[in-house]
Amino acid sequence: MLKLMKIRNKNPLLKFLAYVVKPADPSACRDWVNTVEHRNYPKFYVGTPPNRKMFRAHRFSFERHNGPIPEGLQVLHSCDNPRCTNPRHLFLGTNEVNMKDRNAKNRLAFGERTGSAKLTWKLSEEIKDLYATGNFSQRELGKRYGVAHTAIGSITRGEHWVSRS
């Protein structure tokens, strides 16, 4: 296991390089091994308050190798690894391009892949089958499966937990 130490350096490049694993293969991901923020995107800080500045590592890498990021564009990962800082894996795109890329690669969390899901695909099919018998109300099924009766209604009407295969 890599032992991390606090890098107290005022030079953003040196601090950045201290936390990037550079593999022998130049086409492989260069993973960030320090602090990450929401959704696993890497970040690092340089300086001390009140002059402390936060950098997102993948954006820092892109700018270091390609120049400034134009207004309104995002730095996207072709490898789909948010910890990757390899400039060969980074490209610019709009939010729309990012969402199309996400959808094309089926990275949109839905159904049991969402963090807040209380049901699974199997349970949703079971609910549909039980409701179709006419022996259970939506309220009864909601209590049985620990979800609101309105969620059961959405499932039985085909509004949620619809197979996307």
Side-chain angles (χ1 to χ4, degrees):
M1 183 74 178
L2 187 66
K3 184 174 181 179
L4 298 177
M5 60 182 179
K6 286 267 187 198
I7 305 293
R8 304 228 184 256
N9 197 312
K10 293 181 182 175
N11 182 327
L13 178 58
L14 293 178
K15 190 159 187 181
F16 170 81
L17 293 173
Y19 293 121
V20 173
V21 174
K22 193 169 180 180
D25 179 2
S27 66
C29 287
R30 294 180 186 173
D31 282 340
W32 181 258
V33 293
N34 195 21
T35 308
V36 293
E37 61 182 353
H38 181 64
R39 295 193 178 129
N40 221 17
Y41 284 94
K43 67 179 178 179
F44 66 104
Y45 296 92
V46 175
T48 55
N51 300 319
R52 185 173 159 179
K53 181 159 171 60
M54 191 271 286
F55 295 91
R56 288 189 172 88
H58 64 295
R59 293 176 62 87
F60 183 88
S61 177
F62 183 90
E63 286 187 320
R64 179 173 172 258
H65 291 90
N66 302 293
I69 300 166
E71 181 92 20
L73 294 183
Q74 301 173 353
V75 177
L76 313 178
H77 290 84
S78 61
C79 59
D80 295 328
N81 174 6
R83 287 180 172 261
C84 180
T85 62
N86 187 338
R88 294 178 181 198
H89 297 184
L90 304 174
F91 65 99
L92 292 177
T94 62
N95 187 59
E96 182 181 2
V97 168
N98 196 13
M99 296 303 105
K100 285 181 180 177
D101 181 54
R102 174 201 67 190
N103 295 343
K105 295 174 180 174
N106 198 26
R107 287 186 283 119
L108 179 62
F110 60 88
E112 61 192 56
R113 288 177 29 199
T114 64
S116 61
K118 293 182 179 179
L119 300 172
T120 62
W121 290 107
K122 184 179 178 183
L123 290 176
S124 72
E125 292 300 318
E126 191 175 295
I127 288 167
K128 290 175 197 172
D129 291 344
L130 287 173
Y131 187 71
T133 67
N135 296 328
F136 299 93
S137 71
Q138 291 177 2
R139 286 192 189 280
E140 290 170 325
L141 290 171
K143 287 178 184 173
R144 183 175 185 165
Y145 289 94
V147 297
H149 73 280
T150 54
I152 300 297
S154 293
I155 292 168
T156 59
R157 288 189 302 273
E159 297 169 358
H160 290 106
W161 292 94
V162 179
S163 177
R164 298 197 182 200
S165 53

